[in-house]
Structure formats: C-alpha cells, structure tokens
Amino acid sequence: TLNDEEFITQLQAELTRVLPSYMLPHTVTVIAQWPMTVNGKVDQKALRDLATNTLLNKGIETPKTNMEKALCDLWSEVLCVPSSSLNMSDNFFEVGGNSLLLIKLLERLHAQIGTQVGVEAIYNAQTIREQAQILEGKNSVLPASVMGQYTGTRPTVFLIPGLLSTINLFSRFGAHLNEEGFDCVALRYKYERTLAGEVSSIEAHAQMLAEQALKYCGSQKVIICGHSYGGAVAYELALILQQQNVDSEVVLLESYFEQSKYPSRVIENNELSAEVGITESEQLAIAREYAVCFENYFPSQKWHKPLFCVWASDAIFDAECFEESLKAKVTPQIISTVVNGNHISIFDEQNVTDLARFVRNMFL
C-alpha cells in the first residue's frame, strides 16, 4: 500500500507521461473521503475550499520590499483572501486566481502603481516575487516555457526568439520537435518584443538566460536554436553551458552576425515589422537596441564543433557570403540547410516540417 506522498509521486509521473504540460495539475491533495452535501452529492465548494486551504496553510513567507507589499495587498483585494495568508511564492492560479481575475489585477496595477506592464508578462510571472521583480526591473527574463510534453529523459531543444518575434512564432516548430522525440523549452526575454534599456550586450543577455536553461539541463545533449538576434544569444549561451560541462549544440535560424558587412537582398525596412504586427514606435525602440547589440556582433570565442545553420530560401542577407565568414572566424565545420520561405515564414506549417526534420537528422 502506498502512502500519500508515494501515491502523489506516481500519479504526477503518470500524468506527465500522458498529458501536455499546460494540463498538468500544480498540486495534488489526498483526502480520506469525498465531502458530501445534505442532498448526498459531492460538495464542490468544500473541495475548492479544501484545495485553497491546503495551499494557504503553508509556512508564510512575508513580503520584503515595498513592491512585494503593494502586490500582496492587491492580490488580497482581487482574490478576497487575507494578505497575511499569502506567500511570496504562491502561484496566482493555485490560490483562487483565474484569467478574469488576472485582468482585474492588471487593471489595479495600472491604476494604483502606474505600471504599464503587459498582460503576458504578468501571466507568465505568476508569483508575487516574480511579479515584483519584473515591476522593479530586476528580472530581465520571464520564466522558461515548456512547449508540449516534457519528459526530462530526451534531448532538450532550447528555443530563443529574435527581437522582432515572440515564442508564439515557435509553436508549430516546438510541436513538430516534440513529435520527433525532443523536449522543447522556450527561453524568453522580459518583454518579448523589446529589450530597450534591459541589457548592455548579447553576452550579458545570454548570461541572464543561462540560469533558466540550467534548470532543464540533465545528462542528455541540449540543442540551442536561436532565431535572428536569438541566434547570437544562443551561441553565447552555448559557450556558457559548455563551461558548465553541458553537452551543447547550436543551430542558427536565419541569424546573421555583423549584418552591415553582408549584401542585403531586401530593401523594405518595414517588412518584418509588418509581418509580426508591431507598431512604428515599437519598431524604433527595437531598432535602437538591435543596432547596438546585433549589427556589429561577432563571436569573440571560436566553436570547436560543427555549427548548424538554417537559411530561408528568400533570405534577407547573402547566406553563402556569411557562411564563408563563419568558416574563417568561428569554425570550419558548417552544416547548413535551406528551408522554403522568408525570415518569418520558415515557421509556417508548410515549411516547419523540413525545419524539424533537419534538427532530427542532425541530433537523433
């Protein structure tokens, strides 16, 4: 006979095997018997109260900063629970929150604290501590996002978006990689479409993401795929992980270093901005950081393994010219492929199968 802890461990392992990550329960509570109403039916309210009380009765970690105190009070108002019962590590959705209450929390944040943080940033930072770090500007990355089913026993692919895109661009790619036999984890920037004022260099940005990545690095090989600007971050992240004895590979997805040195095949300045739907002001903010961090970037350290590259058939820059530079300055071992589409549409359904197949053929 299993005790409660052993039962929960086995149940969570089985659920992880058969369910996608977004459907997995955060907590499991074992009860001796179902609470019943006077009419002989399962008492749904009593079950909800039991689950909430289980979470709230943990040891309380009190707020340490003014921002944490302010957020604790706002959570208390929105969730209708005493602020004294809230932990800094409580998950908003585990203590009674839902998507509608999250919007309400965001409205209170805008009104009382004056922040203009977006709903996606708050949705993905689900504890008081994480939200406070974002609002205080101390956390330049959002929590990593597992894409599809995560086993921890397969090679892990890290996906890093470019400045002009979000992890949503990887949704089809991640799904196909899952089917091919990889665990997929997206590593994300604080505000996915702009880094203005957040990082001073690509190397520093990679260092920020390394803490998230190391949580998912086991004994299996890791493959770091970076799109556009994310390719530069992927390269620097791989160097960091190699120093931590993590067997790492790098895949550059339409990522060109030292862009000013290579002939451009596309003259329209707003092509990418139109495709990802950003405003002109956002484009200008991104462009400033892009120019500082990326246009003149080139790796300071060589890569002593093959470097994998994916180019679009309708590429922005001359891929052949860029490959010659990589061979001369980074590694003579370049393995590349061309996928139909342009800088963004290589991730469309009709093209992403070829992209995932390339990764499978190289690493499985």
Side-chain angles (χ1 to χ4, degrees):
T1 303
L2 300 176
N3 60 35
D4 288 354
E5 185 176 344
E6 292 170 336
F7 171 75
I8 290 172
T9 299
Q10 286 196 11
L11 177 62
Q12 289 176 327
E14 179 63 17
L15 291 176
T16 300
R17 188 182 68 82
V18 299
L19 293 177
S21 60
Y22 67 87
M23 293 182 66
L24 293 173
H26 292 285
T27 59
V28 176
T29 302
V30 178
I31 57 176
Q33 60 184 19
W34 295 107
M36 308 298 288
T37 67
V38 293
N39 296 322
K41 297 181 179 180
V42 175
D43 191 333
Q44 300 289 341
K45 182 179 183 303
L47 282 176
R48 287 193 295 271
D49 291 344
L50 177 64
T52 300
N53 290 335
T54 299
L55 291 165
L56 295 179
N57 287 336
K58 298 179 295 185
I60 300 300
E61 182 184 359
T62 57
K64 295 181 175 63
T65 68
N66 290 334
M67 184 61 73
E68 287 181 350
K69 292 175 183 176
L71 279 167
C72 193
D73 290 339
L74 289 179
W75 276 41
S76 174
E77 293 175 20
V78 170
L79 298 173
C80 298
V81 298
S83 59
S84 59
S85 68
L86 291 170
N87 259 326
M88 298 305 96
S89 57
D90 280 338
N91 184 295
F92 183 79
F93 296 99
E94 292 178 1
V95 291
N98 55 43
S99 57
L100 293 178
L101 290 176
L102 185 70
I103 297 299
K104 189 175 181 180
L105 175 65
L106 194 62
E107 291 172 348
R108 299 283 180 90
L109 282 172
H110 290 172
Q112 297 185 30
I113 299 180
T115 177
Q116 295 302 310
V117 65
V119 64
E120 187 171 9
I122 292 297
Y123 178 84
N124 289 292
Q126 296 175 4
T127 70
I128 291 175
R129 181 185 295 110
E130 289 173 346
Q131 290 179 3
Q133 288 175 338
I134 284 180
L135 295 171
E136 292 169 339
K138 294 179 180 178
N139 189 4
S140 293
V141 294
L142 287 168
S145 179
V146 173
M147 307 187 79
Q149 184 176 346
Y150 182 83
T151 67
T153 60
R154 305 185 295 182
T156 297
V157 176
F158 291 119
L159 302 173
I160 304 178
L163 286 170
L164 296 178
S165 58
T166 73
I167 64 168
N168 293 331
L169 187 67
F170 292 139
S171 58
R172 296 187 186 93
F173 187 32
H176 279 276
L177 288 173
N178 247 208
E179 293 174 1
E180 297 287 1
F182 296 95
D183 288 340
C184 293
V185 179
L187 301 177
R188 307 180 307 161
Y189 312 134
K190 179 178 178 181
Y191 303 114
E192 291 177 305
R193 289 187 175 180
T194 176
L195 298 175
E198 294 299 329
V199 296
S200 57
S201 69
I202 287 172
E203 293 84 354
H205 200 171
Q207 189 66 55
M208 295 174 190
L209 292 182
E211 183 178 351
Q212 292 287 351
L214 284 168
K215 297 176 183 178
Y216 295 90
C217 293
S219 58
Q220 297 289 330
K221 180 193 297 288
V222 301
I223 300 100
I224 311 171
C225 297
H227 177 239
S228 192
Y229 171 92
V233 178
Y235 186 90
E236 294 296 332
L237 177 59
L239 293 174
I240 295 170
L241 295 185
Q242 289 280 61
Q243 294 173 358
Q244 300 291 328
N245 297 317
V246 177
D247 185 11
S248 306
E249 303 286 354
V250 181
V251 181
L252 302 181
L253 304 172
E254 270 283 288
S255 182
Y256 301 85
F257 310 151
E258 292 186 310
Q259 293 183 4
S260 58
K261 295 186 178 181
Y262 303 104
S264 173
R265 294 176 180 167
V266 177
I267 306 300
E268 301 172 21
N269 294 331
N270 294 325
E271 180 185 1
L272 297 181
S273 300
E275 286 183 334
V276 297
I278 64 174
T279 65
E280 183 177 354
S281 61
E282 286 175 312
Q283 179 193 2
L284 292 174
I286 292 169
R288 282 193 291 270
E289 188 73 10
Y290 192 89
V292 172
C293 287
F294 193 28
E295 283 189 351
N296 297 311
Y297 165 81
F298 206 87
S300 58
Q301 298 183 47
K302 290 195 172 185
W303 187 246
H304 301 291
K305 302 169 69 174
L307 186 63
F308 300 87
C309 303
V310 175
W311 312 121
S313 60
D314 187 16
I316 298 175
F317 296 96
D318 189 326
E320 291 183 7
C321 183
F322 178 58
E323 276 195 24
E324 290 304 313
S325 178
L326 287 177
K327 289 177 181 178
K329 298 180 181 180
V330 178
T331 176
Q333 305 175 76
I334 302 294
I335 300 175
S336 64
T337 190
V338 175
V339 173
N340 286 333
N342 59 30
H343 192 66
I344 298 296
S345 66
I346 59 171
F347 297 104
D348 288 352
E349 185 61 44
Q350 63 268 30
N351 302 323
V352 77
T353 302
D354 293 336
L355 194 57
R357 189 177 295 123
F358 173 73
V359 176
R360 180 200 66 193
N361 292 342
M362 294 300 101
F363 304 113
L364 286 184

